[in-house]
Amino acid sequence: MQPQLKEGIDFYYNEDGYVVLTATFLLKRGYCCGNGCKHCPYDYEKVPEPRRTDLLAARKLNNKEKG
């Protein structure tokens, strides 16, 4: 039996109503799935190029704008 996901810890709903997995959940899963998850803590290691480079650049830009 799989453990129940907890809203606010494992996932949240974005402004469009989609489920977004958190870094906490992704770390518990233990690997990059290659889908380009928004909060991927594995630096998108299994995402194919050139998308991986684009995602990393967008993350860096977003972090710069926030802080």
Side-chain angles (χ1 to χ4, degrees):
M1 186 159 118
Q2 290 184 322
Q4 192 98 25
L5 297 180
K6 295 180 182 163
E7 185 173 355
I9 296 172
D10 297 312
F11 73 95
Y12 63 91
Y13 294 98
N14 72 6
E15 57 278 351
D16 296 319
Y18 291 104
V19 172
V20 179
L21 298 173
T22 64
T24 299
F25 172 82
L26 297 171
L27 281 168
K28 284 192 272 185
R29 183 176 60 192
Y31 62 90
C32 175
C33 65
N35 288 322
C37 300
K38 180 175 183 173
H39 301 290
C40 181
Y42 304 105
D43 289 330
Y44 307 110
E45 64 187 24
K46 289 189 178 178
V47 176
E49 292 294 352
R51 186 163 180 241
R52 179 176 189 258
T53 297
D54 294 343
L55 288 167
L56 288 170
R59 177 179 281 175
K60 187 175 182 181
L61 180 63
N62 191 29
N63 288 340
K64 242 185 202 180
E65 289 174 355
K66 285 184 179 180

